[in-house]
Structures are given as C-alpha cells and as structure tokens.
C-alpha cells in the first residue's frame, strides 16, 4: 500500500534525465570542431652548400604562434664560433675557413621545445694557377679543386662566355685553355656544378711573345734581360776554343738599338731564323741569324727610310736616325719603330713594317706631334728609350727626352692613332726620359706602366731644397702610370733630388725591372741611377717625395759619387746583376719571399774583375730555365767621344751567372784578333737566342756561337 506513490516520482526523474541529456546532446554537437594544430617551425634553405668563408641568410618561419622570434645555434653552440661558423640574431651564417658538415638550429623564444635544424656542407673551391701569362695560341692547364663535396665537377667560362670562343680563347671541360691569336687580358672562371653560385677566377693575359724569339728591349715587358730557352750555350762550351766569332754583317751606321730576333719566320716561302738591326742612317736590316760564315751570310731585306736628322747636343753634332729599340708584334709580325727623318714637318715618324718583307703597312708612317697643357713636343728631343707594346691595352708607348720636358706618347697599334700624352714636367722643365736606352716596364697582368725620369743641371729651379721637399713635375722620379690615360698613379723621388739636379746626376740614367716579390708585395720595382743607389719599391705605392726615402729598401753600389748606373739590371734565378761605370760586374742576391727591406742583399754575392769605362754596361743573360746561366755584356771603354770613327773595338764578355768572378770568355782572348768585334759604341746591348750571341756595334752586327754547329 505504501509503495504506490513512488511511481510518479520516478517518471519525473526520468523526464529530467532525458531533458538534461537532450540539452547536453545539443552541447555535444557544438564542440565537435578539432582544436588548432600545434605550432610548427621550418628553416630555409634546407639543406645548404656553402664555400669556405661565405655567408648565407637562413630564415626561420613559425606557424601557429604569434611570436616569431628564434635563437640560433651552430652545432649546439649559441651563435657559433670560428671553428663551426658563426650566425647572427638575424640568421646570417658565416662559414668557417675549413671544410666540414655542420648543423644550424633555430629555437623558438616563446617555446624552447620548438626547434628546427638544417644540415650545412662547407666546401672549398680553388683554382690553379690564379694568374697566367701565355703567348698567342698557346695553351694553359687550369685545375679546379673541390674539397668537402661528393660532386667535384665544375663548369668553365672565359670572360663570361661558357667554354669561351675564338675571341676570348676557349677552355675545355678539363680546364685546358687555348689562347686566341691576339693579345689581351681575360678572366677564367670555374663554377661548382653542385652550387653554381660558388665560383673562383683566374686572370690571364695573352702577351706579346713567340717561341724562342726576342721581340722587345731586354727580352720581355718586365725588362729582366733573361733568355730562358737557351739549350746550346753552357758554361762548359763557352770558351775561346769552342766558341767565337762566326760572321759579321756590315751596316751603314751605328746600331744603338738592341737586335731583335724571330725564330722560324716564314720569309720568301721558306723558314728562317731572322735577326733585325736598325741604324743611325735610318736603315733596317733583316739578316739570316743562322749564318756561320761570310759564305752563308744572307740579307733577307734592307729598307732605308730617308735621310737622318743632324742635331747639336752636349757632345757636338750628331746624326740621329733610328735610335731606339723597336718592338715586334708576334700576332701580326709587325715591327714598330721610330725614325727621325730630315726635311719633314716633324722629324719623328712612327713606322709599322711587315717584319717578314720590310714593306710599310697601311697607315704607316705617322707623324709624331704632341701638346700638353701649353707644352709642345720639340724637334730637339731625342727618342732614345725603346718602344713598348702593352698586351692589355694594345698601345705602343714612345718616350722622349734630351729636351725641355720628358714625354710619353701612346698610339693604338692597329690604327696608329694617338691615344694619350704624358708630359712629366708640365709647368716646369727637365724630367727627360732616356734611361740609357731602356724601355718602359709593363706589368703584363694589369697593363700598368713603370719608368724612370732624369734631370739636368739647372732643374733644381723646380725642386725645393731641404727641408721643403716639394717639386713641380716629376724630375728624377720612378713613375707608375695608368696604361690607358698615362696619368700618374704613384711616384717616388729620392730625398737628395735637389742635389742630384745640381750635379746633373740623373736617377733616370738607369731603367727599372719588375720582379716577383713576397706575400705582401707580389711584385716589386728595382732600379737605380747615377748616384749608385739601387731602390726597391712597391710599384703601386712608390713613396712620393719627402725628407725620408719611403721605399722598401735601398742598397749602394758603384765606385764613384756620381756616374755609376747607366743600365737596366738583369734578373735571373734569385740574382740581380749590375755593371756600373768604372766598375766591375756585381751580382746581388734577391730573396723574393723575405720580408720587405731584406730581399736585396746589401753586398754583392759575387764580383767580376774586368773594369768597364764608358758607362759600364747593360747585360743580357742566357739560360736553360734555371740552369746554365751566362751573363753577357759589352765593354765599350774604347769608344772615342771626340771622333767615334777612331774608336777601338767593342769587347763581348761572358760570365758564369752563378759566380761572375768566373769569366768564361771575352772577344780579346783568341789569337790574331779572330773574334774582334766592330767599333765600340755606347749603351749597346747583346741579344742571345738559339745558340748565338748578336753584338751590335758602330760598324757591323757580329754573330758569335759554337764552332762547327
């Protein structure tokens, strides 16, 4: 009886439960959307290849978080270090200077458990050689080396052209470069096949050179005077028993220019070795260089350009024809020379001759005139320095001195058009460019031009006496000129410049040579003048003019206060050779890798015994690479200033280059005057090539060599 009332209550309870469930069911449908995904972090690029020392921007992207800031580490080192590479707060990674694999990690600032990593492979890419100078149409092997990558292949280009072309030269897939037939500068690039942005380059110049030939003053544009392809003449066979005078070629006037030599030239349908000489009578001769007797002597061609000019100078009346050493362009077999011709509007004429025939080329000759800021090239000047041909700019440089100013003119070798003019004492006087017949130095890699100017008594008017150390113009100066505009980039004048001018003691009586230097200065200039100071300079920053000679080094040579150096030095195999006036030949050592200021020995390493008067000598050297070195020079002590026709003979000497105290031979040793040379001259330089020594004299070209060869 009492259980009956519980039933309605139970129903009510059930209803409520259902109602609540119904309501919850509605709630359940609204909460079915999934929660937002967890935050994620990513890095780019991923993975990465990087050359040693290179930089790479890494970017960290965080999704699902309002805070995008990250902390960076390399190999778990916050910010990295020099061993693993460093990374900035902005994600810029700098690879270490070593190959290897590393891990770059970005960690979320707001959630440190949130990280991402990238694998980085640091590799090295190198190229050898890094610079080269080769002859037209010659080859050069380049080698690209990759370390730190599985893929070590590269792609090659020349001047931005894949594989190069006929104008730039071509390069094979193995890195063998073949030069074009023209001179000029080019850039070789190797790019990693795995990472084309990783490149390495080398500078190459196709220089004016030809096998076994002598095309310019003192053998090359560095003016080192070394002929390094001599396989026949050695210190063993150069003696008066086995070696001597073979033949003489008479000429019509003194030969002041150094003989030039073409190996295996095609003349009249056959191949010959040819030696070229020019004379003061405006003649050019092409002789058979292989002649061994008067019966085999042969003149291939002889050209006379006109009547030479008569001038007055400090030595009286002189006849001037072709006074300077020409230059031959090996790519076209063109000889460029300057002749002084009388009866013309100007005495100076630039000729371009076919070296195989002697014929004048189209556009030749060109009259040489120049003006610069009110100054005018005077007809009284002498064109004494040798011509120079720049393989980078293809300009011919022509220097003048012995007049009011020193001049350097630049002409395009193809058009013979004047391209630039330099007047070294504009607003002053002096600065003559003569250098005892030397030629401007050219850096064949850059085209930079270097030379030395002189002075005359009276030029001190333009040079302040100490302690002022100022000057107008560039008397007694080493000069570094821009190769195209001929503007001065740097210079050096010695601190005793005023005294040098008072005493007519030219710095520019000598001429410089460009020599390989050390890691700080890859190339250095060496030269000296009348006071006997041999200066070593940084060619790109020469030191200016001040109370201190701001040069790398200076060494004293010679036996007199003045009138010592009238020469371009010879450089070979770690030695520099000078033969001063009233002195013997001296060899100094050159240690290229030593610290600046310690490269040139302060004392000679060997000394000869023959004293030369009449300005000493500019020597030449023959060697088979780094062996069998012989230094050759000409003693002109018998020259007669008052009457050159009454001069005695020139005397050729040969010295062992490893010890110049060992004289191997001279032309006065053989009995009965067998080897006597022609009459002595001044500043003449022998040429050595293919087993022969060519000696220019006042009356003839003499050829010396081994008997029976």
């Amino acid at each position: 009886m009492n259980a009956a009332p519980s039933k309605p209550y139970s129903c009510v309870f059930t209803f409520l439960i259902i109602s609540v469930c119904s309501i919850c069911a509605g709630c359940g449908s609204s909460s079915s959307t999934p929660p937002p995904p967890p935050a994620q972090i990513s890095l780019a690029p991923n993975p990465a290849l990087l050359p040693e020392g290179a930089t790479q921007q890494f970017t960290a992207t965080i999704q699902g978080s309002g805070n995008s800031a990250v902390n960076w580490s390399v190999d778990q080192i916050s910010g990295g270090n020099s061993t693993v590479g460093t990374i900035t707060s902005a994600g810029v990674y700098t690879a270490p200077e070593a190959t290897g694999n590393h891990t770059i990690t970005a960690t979320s600032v707001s959630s440190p458990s949130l990280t991402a990593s990238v694998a980085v492979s640091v590799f090295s890419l190198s190229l050898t050689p890094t610079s080269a100078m080769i002859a037209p149409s010659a080859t050069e092997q380049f080698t690209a080396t990759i370390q730190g990558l599985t893929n070590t292949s590269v792609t090659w280009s020349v001047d931005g052209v894949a594989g190069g072309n006929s104008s730039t030269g071509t390069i094979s897939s193995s890195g063998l470069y073949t030069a074009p037939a023209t001179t000029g500068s080019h850039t070789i690039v190797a790019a990693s096949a795995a990472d084309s942005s990783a490149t390495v380059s080398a500078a190459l110049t196709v220089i004016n050179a030809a096998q076994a030939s002598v095309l310019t003053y003192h053998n090359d544009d560095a003016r080192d005077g070394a002929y390094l392809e001599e396989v026949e003449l050695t210190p063993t066979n150069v003696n008066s028993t086995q070696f001597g005078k073979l033949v003489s070629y008479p000429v019509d006037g003194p030969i002041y220019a150094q003989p030039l030599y073409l190996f295996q030239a095609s003349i009249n349908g056959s191949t010959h070795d040819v030696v070229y000489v020019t004379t003061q009578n405006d003649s050019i001769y092409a002789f058979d260089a292989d002649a061994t007797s008067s019966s085999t002597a042969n003149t291939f061609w002889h050209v006379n350009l006109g009547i030479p000019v008569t001038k007055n100078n400090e030595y009286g009346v002189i006849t001037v024809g072709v006074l300077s050493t020409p230059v031959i362009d090996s790519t076209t077999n063109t000889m460029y020379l300057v002749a002084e011709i009388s009866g013309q509007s100007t005495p100076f004429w630039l000729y371009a001759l076919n070296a195989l025939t002697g014929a004048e080329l189209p556009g030749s000759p060109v009259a040489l005139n120049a003006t610069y800021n009110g100054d005018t090239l005077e007809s009284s000047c002498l064109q004494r320095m040798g011509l120079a041909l720049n393989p980078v700019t293809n300009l011919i440089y022509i220097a003048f001195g012995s007049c009011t100013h020193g001049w350097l003119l630049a002409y395009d070798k193809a058009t013979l058009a004047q391209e630039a003019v330099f007047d070294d004492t504009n607003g002053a006087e002096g600065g003559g460019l003569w250098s005892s017949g030397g030629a401007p130095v050219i850096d064949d890699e850059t085209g930079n031009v270097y030379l030395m100017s002189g002075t005359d008594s009276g030029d001190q008017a333009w040079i302040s006496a100490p302690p002022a150390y100022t000057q107008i113009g560039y008397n007694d100066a080493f000069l570094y000129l821009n190769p195209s505009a001929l503007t001065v980039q740097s210079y050096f004048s010695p601190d005793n410049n005023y005294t040098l001018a008072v005493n007519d003691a030219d710095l520019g009586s000598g001429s410089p040579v460009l020599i390989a230097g050390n890691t700080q200065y890859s190339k250095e200039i060496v030269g000296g003048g009348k006071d006997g100071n041999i200066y070593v300079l940084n060619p790109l920053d020469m030191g200016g003019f001040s109370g201190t000679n701001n040069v790398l080094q200076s060494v004293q040579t010679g036996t007199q206060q003045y009138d010592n150096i009238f020469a371009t030095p010879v450089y070979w195999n770690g030695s520099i050779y000078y033969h001063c006036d009233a002195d013997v030949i001296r060899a100094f050592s050159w240690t290229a890798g030593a610290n600046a200021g310690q490269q040139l020995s302060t004392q000679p390493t060997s000394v000869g015994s023959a004293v030369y008067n009449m300005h000493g000598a500019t020597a030449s050297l023959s060697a088979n690479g780094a062996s069998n070195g012989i230094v050759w020079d000409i003693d002109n002590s018998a020259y007669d200033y008052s009457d050159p026709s009454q001069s005695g003979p020139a005397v050729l000497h040969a010295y062992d280059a490893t010890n110049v105290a060992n004289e191997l031979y001279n032309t006065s040793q053989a009995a009965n005057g067998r080897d006597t040379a022609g009459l002595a001259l001044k500043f003449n330089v022998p040429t050595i090539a293919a087993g022969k020594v060519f000696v220019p004299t006042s009356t003839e070209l003499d050829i010396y060599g081994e008997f029976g060869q």
Side-chain angles (χ1 to χ4, degrees):
M1 292 289 295
N2 293 331
S6 65
K7 197 169 188 177
Y9 179 80
S10 176
C11 289
V12 172
F13 178 77
T14 301
F15 173 78
L16 290 174
I17 291 298
I18 292 172
S19 297
V20 171
C21 289
S22 297
I23 294 170
C24 288
C27 292
S29 65
S30 65
S31 64
S32 64
T33 302
Q40 296 180 336
I41 185 171
S42 62
L43 292 181
N46 187 6
L49 301 175
L50 210 58
E52 293 175 338
T55 60
Q56 174 67 57
Q57 174 68 61
F58 287 94
T59 302
T61 302
I62 298 180
Q63 295 178 333
S65 173
N67 188 348
S68 61
V70 297
N71 291 319
W72 296 92
S73 64
V74 185
D75 293 350
Q76 300 182 344
I77 300 171
S78 178
N81 58 31
S82 59
T83 302
V84 300
T86 60
I87 192 163
T88 68
S89 59
V92 178
Y93 174 69
T94 301
E97 295 292 342
T99 61
N101 297 314
H102 304 283
T103 300
I104 293 178
T105 301
T107 301
S108 170
V109 171
S110 60
S111 180
S113 63
L114 190 61
T115 64
S117 297
V118 168
V120 176
S121 296
V122 179
F123 66 95
S124 67
L125 173 59
S126 61
L127 185 61
T128 55
T130 57
S131 64
M133 294 180 288
I134 64 175
S137 303
T139 60
E140 179 74 25
Q141 179 65 57
F142 289 91
T143 302
T145 303
I146 295 179
Q147 294 180 325
L149 291 180
T150 302
N151 185 354
T152 59
S153 61
V154 298
T155 59
W156 298 92
S157 65
V158 186
D159 295 345
V161 179
N165 57 33
S166 59
S167 298
T168 64
T170 59
I171 193 163
S172 69
S173 58
S174 63
L176 181 64
Y177 174 78
T178 302
T182 55
T183 57
S185 57
H186 304 283
T187 302
I188 311 297
V189 174
S192 166
D195 178 8
S196 61
S197 66
T199 63
V200 64
S201 63
L204 178 140
T205 308
V206 182
I207 64 173
N208 182 38
Q211 180 187 2
S213 297
V214 178
L215 307 172
T216 188
Y217 180 86
H218 232 213
N219 291 67
D220 55 34
D221 291 335
R223 311 301 171 198
D224 57 33
Y227 181 84
L228 303 181
E229 299 173 82
E230 182 52 61
V231 297
E232 297 180 35
L233 301 178
T234 71
T236 300
N237 60 31
V238 173
N239 55 67
S240 60
T241 301
Q242 298 171 264
F243 178 91
K245 186 175 179 179
L246 302 177
V247 66
S248 292
Y249 284 104
V251 294
D252 62 10
I255 308 171
Y256 279 99
Q258 180 178 346
L260 300 180
Y261 178 89
L262 270 185
F263 177 73
Q264 297 293 281
S266 178
I267 293 183
N268 299 327
S270 57
T271 301
H272 302 275
D273 297 332
V274 187
V275 58
Y276 300 88
V277 296
T278 61
T279 75
Q280 287 302 86
N281 199 44
D282 277 329
S283 281
I284 304 95
Y285 295 87
F287 294 131
D288 186 349
D290 295 326
T292 57
S293 67
S294 58
S295 62
T296 60
N298 185 22
T299 301
F300 296 125
W301 55 261
H302 167 216
V303 173
N304 184 265
L305 302 176
I307 300 173
V309 174
T310 299
K311 295 186 176 182
N312 289 302
N313 71 1
E314 58 186 306
Y315 302 113
V317 178
I318 59 172
T319 299
V320 183
V322 182
L323 184 59
S324 63
T325 301
V327 63
I328 297 176
D329 181 357
S330 66
T331 67
T332 59
N333 285 321
T334 301
M335 175 186 286
Y336 298 94
L337 61 93
V338 171
E340 294 201 36
I341 311 294
S342 65
Q344 305 294 322
S345 57
T346 176
F348 308 115
W349 294 85
L350 171 61
Y351 283 82
L353 304 181
N354 184 324
L356 305 181
T357 66
E360 291 183 25
L361 298 180
S364 169
V366 171
L368 301 182
N369 295 290
T371 59
Y372 184 87
N373 196 27
D375 292 340
T376 301
L377 179 68
E378 301 160 297
S379 60
S380 61
C381 293
L382 293 177
Q383 202 283 293
R384 183 67 187 95
M385 289 185 71
L387 274 61
L389 175 57
N390 193 321
V392 176
T393 63
N394 284 308
L395 294 177
I396 302 163
Y397 302 119
I398 306 169
F400 293 85
S402 300
C403 47
T404 306
H405 309 284
W407 296 83
L408 188 67
L409 314 184
Y411 285 78
D412 184 277
K413 77 169 188 178
T415 65
L416 302 186
Q418 188 180 96
E419 299 294 336
V421 173
F422 172 60
D423 169 4
D424 67 6
T425 51
N426 185 244
E429 292 184 7
L433 302 176
W434 69 286
S435 292
S436 299
V441 169
I442 299 171
D443 183 336
D444 283 339
E445 290 184 322
T446 63
N448 294 343
V449 178
Y450 306 102
L451 67 169
M452 291 163 61
S453 67
T455 192
D456 287 307
S457 178
D459 292 342
Q460 65 270 18
W462 315 103
I463 306 165
S464 297
Y469 296 104
T470 60
Q471 60 182 338
I472 301 172
Y474 300 100
N475 277 290
D476 278 334
F478 284 81
L479 293 164
Y480 157 33
L481 304 181
N482 175 280
S484 297
L486 297 185
T487 51
V488 176
Q489 307 300 295
S490 184
Y491 81 101
F492 164 72
S493 290
D495 60 3
N496 63 342
N497 196 2
Y498 183 89
T499 301
L500 295 179
V502 170
N503 291 278
D504 188 23
D506 299 51
L507 175 67
S509 62
S511 195
V513 60
L514 186 66
I515 302 177
N518 55 24
T519 55
Q520 185 177 8
Y521 308 105
S522 61
K523 297 172 186 176
E524 295 171 47
I525 283 282
V526 178
K530 288 182 181 179
D531 72 350
N533 277 305
I534 305 172
Y535 293 104
V536 181
L537 297 87
N538 171 12
L540 303 181
D541 185 8
M542 291 184 160
F545 178 45
S546 65
T548 301
N549 284 336
N550 187 25
V551 297
L552 302 182
Q553 190 177 4
S554 64
V555 171
Q556 182 70 42
T557 191
T559 60
Q560 309 172 100
Q561 183 177 10
Y562 300 122
D563 290 338
N564 290 298
I565 296 175
F566 293 84
T568 303
V570 165
Y571 172 74
W572 174 73
N573 201 31
S575 290
I576 293 175
Y577 305 87
Y578 270 108
H579 202 148
C580 293
D581 180 55
D583 197 9
V584 298
I585 189 169
R586 298 174 186 269
F588 296 82
S589 67
W590 175 262
T591 307
N595 293 332
Q598 301 174 16
Q599 293 166 292
L600 183 64
S601 64
T602 58
Q603 297 295 324
T605 52
S606 63
V607 177
S609 58
V611 175
Y612 296 6
N613 295 306
M614 197 46 61
H615 307 310
T618 290
S620 293
L621 181 139
S622 64
N624 184 3
S627 63
N628 293 330
I630 302 173
V631 182
W632 307 82
D633 66 14
I634 303 171
D635 180 5
N636 286 303
S637 298
Y639 180 78
D640 187 334
Y641 259 119
S642 61
D643 186 356
S645 67
Q646 299 302 309
S647 299
V651 180
L652 173 70
H653 291 255
Y655 303 92
D656 183 343
T658 63
N659 179 9
V660 295
N662 179 19
E663 183 175 8
L664 305 172
Y665 166 84
N666 72 64
T667 54
S668 64
Q669 290 175 343
N672 302 317
R674 184 196 69 190
D675 296 342
T676 301
L679 299 186
L681 201 53
K682 298 181 298 179
F683 310 124
N684 51 347
V685 182
T687 293
I688 306 92
K692 304 291 176 56
V693 180
F694 304 95
V695 178
T697 75
S698 188
T699 52
E700 62 196 36
L701 174 73
D702 295 313
I703 302 179
Y704 294 82
E706 279 189 275
F707 297 126
Q709 295 298 308

